[in-house]
Structures are given as structure tokens and as C-alpha cells.
Amino acid sequence: MTQLFGKPLVTQEAMRTRIKELGRDITQYYQHKDLVLVGVLKGAFMFYADLVRAIRLPVTVDFMIVKSQLRGNTTGKVKVLTDLTEEIQGRDVLLVEDIVDSGLTVQHLTRQLSKRKPKSLQVCALLSKPARRQIDVNVHYIGFEIPNHYVVGYGLDYQQQYRNLPYLAVLDPKSVEAP
Ligand code: IMP
Ligand code: MG
């Protein structure tokens, strides 16, 4: 699988270093708060597992399974397949996303979660593609801003493949069918 990809766009080493920094920032901000870390699956699973271990605080873990894209392109429709198991009213929620692209998913999820009256609601995304933004969403913690390429690995997929690649790579359009 790895031979499909050339140089990583973000190496495992760079990922580790940046996630430690994010963990430190989050630890500082959420001191004495009731942190609920909400992972958006499937894409965020690997990032989430590393991030939660970089946070030195008591934390409640929870997840949502969301479908927000069709064959590599965002559809603009966001479907919640599995909802949270925890009540978030009055609690400090941090939404953990793999990537903010158009911004539609983050907008949809923050609107839905706000209705449940959390005490606070912030967003942490491993990646952001500013060139693709359609909606000006507020992302409080960003791992890396990346150029406008379709990326895979470290949880991110192309047609449900490549999520297990341990680093982030640009998908080579020549190696797969066009989306
Ligand atoms: P949105 O356009 O900001 O709503 O992003 C929707 C979702 O599309 C993200 O949460 C990702 O799961 C997926 N996505 C966007 N860009 C990429 C990419 O380059 N690689 C893999 N998945 C992506
Ligand atoms: Mg996602």
C-alpha cells in the first residue's frame, strides 16, 4: 500500500510533535472544566486516540458517526448515523474532526450540538484546507493547514481505503480511479 505514495505530506514525527502541542494547549484551556471530547468518526479515529493521550486532564470520551461525503467530494449533506451516548448539557464540549474542508460538516455538527446547550463548544481539527472553505467556521485548534490536495492516511480515506496508513499522504490520482 505504501508504495502508492511518495513523500508523506505530514510525517508521523511531525504529527507526534504537533499533537503534543495541541494536547498542551487543550490541557491548559480546560483546567477545572468538565471536558467531553467528541470524536467524529470514522475519519478522526487515529487523531482522537493520539490526542486524548496528550491531554493531561480527566476527560469523558464520546463519538458520533457521521457521513458527509460521496466518492471523495463533499455532498453538502451531513448525516448523523450514530449519536452521542452522553448528555452534554452544561458541559464543555470539544469536537474532534479529521479535516475541515468546505466547513459544512463542522457547521452542521456545531449547530446540532449547540441545541443541547453545552456550557461551551469548541472545535479541534487535525487538518484544514482553507482554499476549499465555503463557510467561515470557527476552528479553535488546528493541527496543520494544508494545500488543496485530496489526502489520505492517518484515519482519512478514499472510498474507505488507506485509513491505516500511519502518515498523511496526497492521493495519487493516477493510482486510483478518478473520483
Ligand atoms: P467538509 O467539506 O468540511 O464538510 O468536510 C467533510 C468531510 O470530508 C471531512 O470531515 C472528511 O471526512 C472528508 N474530507 C474532506 N477532504 C478530505 C480529504 O482530502 N481526504 C479525505 N477526506 C476528506
Ligand atoms: Mg470527517
Side-chain angles (χ1 to χ4, degrees):
M1 183 168 83
T2 47
Q3 77 259 25
L4 287 176
F5 304 98
K7 236 173 85 209
L9 184 65
V10 181
T11 62
Q12 287 179 270
E13 187 53 38
M15 206 83 83
R16 249 195 307 274
T17 304
R18 185 69 188 120
I19 291 170
K20 264 193 210 145
E21 291 170 0
L22 290 172
R24 243 179 306 207
D25 292 349
I26 291 165
T27 300
Q28 209 160 36
Y29 182 83
Y30 286 95
Q31 297 278 333
H32 313 297
K33 294 189 163 73
D34 182 12
L35 175 59
V36 184
L37 204 63
V38 173
V40 183
L41 300 179
K42 301 175 193 169
F45 82 98
M46 212 174 273
F47 174 45
Y48 188 103
D50 286 338
L51 183 68
V52 74
R53 282 176 287 184
I55 299 173
R56 304 275 178 227
L57 290 172
V59 43
T60 300
V61 307
D62 208 352
F63 302 94
M64 291 176 102
I65 306 180
V66 164
K67 220 177 177 64
S68 59
Q69 64 175 139
L70 187 69
R71 304 202 77 216
N73 291 306
T74 50
T75 61
K77 289 215 173 71
V78 182
K79 204 168 154 205
V80 176
L81 302 178
T82 305
D83 207 339
L84 299 178
T85 61
E86 303 296 319
E87 289 289 339
I88 57 165
Q89 186 172 359
R91 308 180 74 182
D92 296 290
V93 175
L94 181 60
L95 194 68
V96 179
E97 260 282 20
D98 52 356
I99 183 167
V100 184
D101 190 38
S102 67
L104 283 159
T105 306
V106 164
Q107 184 195 47
H108 180 86
L109 294 179
T110 51
R111 280 186 177 165
Q112 293 306 312
L113 295 177
S114 293
K115 290 182 189 159
R116 302 179 199 177
K117 305 266 180 273
K119 187 170 179 194
S120 69
L121 177 58
Q122 295 202 115
V123 179
C124 174
L126 175 66
L127 306 163
S128 172
K129 272 193 233 176
R132 295 259 306 171
R133 203 73 92 247
Q134 292 172 29
I135 297 163
D136 189 20
V137 285
N138 196 0
V139 186
H140 308 81
Y141 304 94
I142 295 176
F144 301 91
E145 289 202 338
I146 60 166
N148 186 12
H149 298 305
Y150 196 86
V151 290
V152 294
Y154 199 71
L156 287 91
D157 76 309
Y158 171 70
Q159 294 185 4
Q160 298 304 326
Q161 296 298 310
Y162 313 109
R163 293 192 195 275
N164 59 325
L165 196 66
Y167 55 86
L168 193 81
V170 175
L171 185 71
D172 178 0
K174 291 192 294 294
S175 68
V176 292
E177 248 178 77

